[in-house]
Amino acid sequence: MTAPDAGRGIGNGESAAEITTTFVGLPRDTFRILHVSTGNVCRSPITERLTRHFVSQRLGVLGGGLIVESAGTWGHEGAPMEANAETVLADFGADASGFTGRELLDEHVIRADLVLTATRDHRAQVISMGHSAGLRTFTLKEFTRLVNAIDPATLPPLEDGVVIRARALVRAAAALRGWLLAPTAEADEVYDPYGAPLTFFRSIGDEIHQALDPVVTALTGVPARM
């Protein structure tokens, strides 16, 4: 049995400053990214916090209406993040503090504008929940592959707002899905490091980083700093 991963995003225990910069309570002005894994203590917390970190590196703050959170299909409600996951985040200079696990609920899927899952099984579980989730749910690596095929010049400029740009990115990725298939089934998987040594956690962290970098660049229109 595959064991857990953990995540609380902005909107769940965030600071007052984060609430202000993400316009909580103004759905039309927000874009909510939901990362999903199994227990919400390893993969999805790493992905959630790295997304926040990389966006803030590019934009200065995690603002402009982006909300990033996570949950688990077998989420350990209230559980802390795995210690090795915290170490991986520290390696990247990302903040692991204040994180508690959540079980994936219908409301999380309903509110999400983009759902990025660790595996194809997670993707299938999210889509099976309904709520018209099919066109906005991808595995992380699948979404990266699609984003890499999108010409950035076809997306709205950041001056129009990161929310408008993000919505256009999801629509473009969904339109490409049937045309750009994975070379192998395993190509779209991020494997579970739960219970593994730190070296394996770090390899998973590197995989997540490599997958997130082009996604965050496409979202923000700003490449990573060299």
Side-chain angles (χ1 to χ4, degrees):
M1 182 174 68
T2 303
D5 295 25
R8 233 201 210 320
I10 293 176
N12 295 281
E14 64 276 31
S15 70
E18 287 172 324
I19 292 174
T20 300
T21 58
T22 52
F23 307 106
V24 169
L26 298 175
R28 293 180 183 177
D29 297 326
T30 61
F31 184 90
R32 189 179 295 266
I33 301 171
L34 176 66
H35 293 292
V36 175
S37 60
T38 304
N40 194 217
V41 293
C42 298
R43 289 168 291 181
S44 52
I46 291 172
T47 314
E48 173 200 317
R49 294 306 177 93
L50 285 184
T51 302
R52 292 195 200 182
H53 180 64
F54 296 146
V55 169
S56 63
Q57 279 186 326
R58 287 160 169 79
L59 299 182
V61 292
L62 182 53
L66 283 183
I67 299 172
V68 186
E69 56 189 357
S70 62
T73 55
W74 283 12
H76 285 204
E77 192 74 27
M81 190 187 309
E82 281 292 296
N84 282 345
E86 291 187 354
T87 299
V88 167
L89 289 172
D91 290 344
F92 288 100
D95 182 14
S97 65
F99 188 91
T100 54
R102 302 192 307 176
E103 181 178 356
L104 181 67
L105 302 176
D106 289 278
E107 66 190 65
H108 302 144
V109 177
I110 290 168
R111 294 186 304 177
D113 297 289
L114 172 62
V115 184
L116 296 176
T117 69
T119 69
R120 291 168 297 146
D121 283 347
H122 296 132
R123 182 184 62 194
Q125 289 180 65
V126 171
I127 293 172
S128 74
M129 294 171 73
H131 316 304
S132 303
L135 291 177
R136 50 195 168 88
T137 302
F138 309 80
T139 73
L140 171 62
K141 289 185 175 180
E142 173 192 22
F143 194 66
T144 302
R145 182 174 67 254
L146 298 171
V147 163
N148 282 333
I150 296 169
D151 182 354
T154 64
L155 298 173
L158 190 58
E159 289 75 16
D160 289 353
V162 70
V163 170
I164 290 174
R165 184 180 177 94
R167 293 189 191 284
L169 182 67
V170 173
R171 289 194 299 269
L176 284 173
R177 193 189 327 239
W179 297 93
L180 289 175
L181 301 179
T184 65
E186 292 71 27
D188 282 344
E189 305 282 288
V190 175
Y191 291 107
D192 192 352
Y194 185 80
L198 180 57
T199 51
F200 188 66
F201 267 82
R202 282 183 163 139
S203 70
I204 293 299
D206 287 340
E207 279 187 39
I208 291 171
H209 170 218
Q210 291 170 21
L212 276 178
D213 183 69
V215 171
V216 175
T217 297
L219 280 171
T220 63
V222 181
R225 298 171 185 167
M226 298 302 293

